[in-house]
Amino acid sequence: MKLLRYNDGHIGISDGTKVVDVSALCSTSAAEWPPVGINRLIRDYPTLKAALEAELRSRDGVPLASVRLQTPVPWPNKLIAYPVNYHDHATEMASRGLANLQGFFLKANSSLSGPADPIELPALPGREVHHECEIALVIGKQGRQIAVEDALDHLFGYACLIDVTIRGKEERVMRKSYDSFTPVGPWIVTADEIADPFDINMRLWVNDELRQQANTRDLIVNIPQMISIASSATTLYPGDLIAAGTPAGVGPIWDGDVVTIEIDGVGRMRIPVVAGKRGANPVFAKPYEFKRAGPSS
Ligand code: MN
């Protein structure tokens, strides 16, 4: 099943063709602030699943193509992200900061944006802003110190995620936390729809050019390990998001580009890039030249 948010805060479920509004079933309204209805829906999903499936079967809903999709979990307890998590990207960045040695970092939750929202480039002359093609893991069940062998029980589902990044030496959190720097969507696909979490293909294009492709079998820290490691330090809550790290092929995006991310079995988003007027500050005043280190393109 697909869980989604649409049209200014409605919560819906979809079979890929129609959307049925289940806001009332998860005790929320579009006006709720903060918008955490979907966090409750994710928490309560095991008990609501049969009722949700019945709703999807019996109601007409509206065509999926007719709604304006929003980022599915706009207010998670946290947005966790793993750094370099594919060996090819490690080579490209000449990085020794692999995910198995570095652990995770956090991005600001407010950097989350949806499939209909553009990436707004900050007004930072002399800086490159890069795309990173990633799969988002959505946590379903609260847990701390989750064993690797139990980790998939805590995984609710998946979404596409672009980890937008200003290249430079400054704090990673700041370089990755600008508004609109974490497009997530177009919805959450529940974990049962993905046959094998160790064999998920993803691709990212800028305009018509294929820039990145990867398969989760090539992750340095795999999906259960990412959940287990994160939970060793911090309690994971329903709706928490984990960005799994990027493969090689990162590169700059510019005003007027369109970034397309597609993950097999999950979905596809086409995100326009626009130049913003905001974002300048003394921290990023000095130009930075990004140099690709490895043989990867
Ligand atoms: Mn990343």
Side-chain angles (χ1 to χ4, degrees), residues 5 34-39 70-76 109-110 112-113 241:
R5 289 177 65 257
V36 291
I38 196 148
N39 305 48
Q70 298 178 279
T71 199
V73 190
W75 206 274
N109 294 344
S110 48
L112 290 163
S113 58
L241 300 172

Side-chain angles (χ1 to χ4, degrees), residues 81-84 89 105 132 134 161 163 165 176 243-246:
Y82 279 87
V84 179
H89 182 55
F105 60 93
E132 298 188 351
E134 309 198 12
L161 183 149
D163 178 14
T165 304
K176 289 174 172 278
T246 186

Side-chain angles (χ1 to χ4, degrees), residues 125-269:
R127 293 300 176 121
E128 287 188 6
V129 175
H130 282 202
H131 57 79
E132 298 188 351
C133 170
E134 309 198 12
I135 186 167
L137 314 177
V138 184
I139 296 298
K141 194 168 81 170
Q142 182 173 329
R144 174 84 202 277
Q145 198 76 56
I146 300 165
V148 171
E149 55 269 29
D150 298 331
L152 291 179
D153 297 340
H154 293 259
L155 175 63
F156 179 77
Y158 306 89
C160 304
L161 183 149
I162 305 171
D163 178 14
V164 182
T165 304
I166 299 165
R167 291 294 170 212
K169 298 284 190 198
E170 299 80 8
E171 274 290 347
R172 175 159 51 193
V173 169
M174 186 171 182
R175 290 188 290 105
K176 289 174 172 278
S177 284
Y178 274 71
D179 285 4
S180 81
F181 269 25
T182 316
V184 171
W187 39 64
I188 301 166
V189 165
T190 50
D192 60 303
E193 292 204 7
I194 299 294
D196 183 357
F198 305 99
D199 183 14
I200 305 173
N201 274 304
M202 65 199 82
R203 289 163 295 279
L204 182 144
W205 296 260
V206 176
N207 305 321
D208 294 327
E209 185 187 344
L210 181 64
R211 291 274 187 90
Q212 297 187 272
Q213 51 185 329
N215 186 293
T216 54
R217 79 169 77 89
D218 298 319
L219 284 162
I220 297 168
V221 179
N222 69 25
I223 289 173
Q225 289 165 341
M226 277 189 270
I227 293 170
S228 178
I229 289 170
S231 77
S232 71
T234 173
T235 300
L236 299 182
Y237 293 100
D240 278 359
L241 300 172
I242 300 177
T246 186
V250 302
I253 50 177
W254 307 107
D255 185 31
D257 284 343
V258 175
V259 183
T260 302
I261 181 171
E262 181 176 73
I263 302 182
D264 290 352
V266 177
R268 178 184 177 98
M269 299 195 292

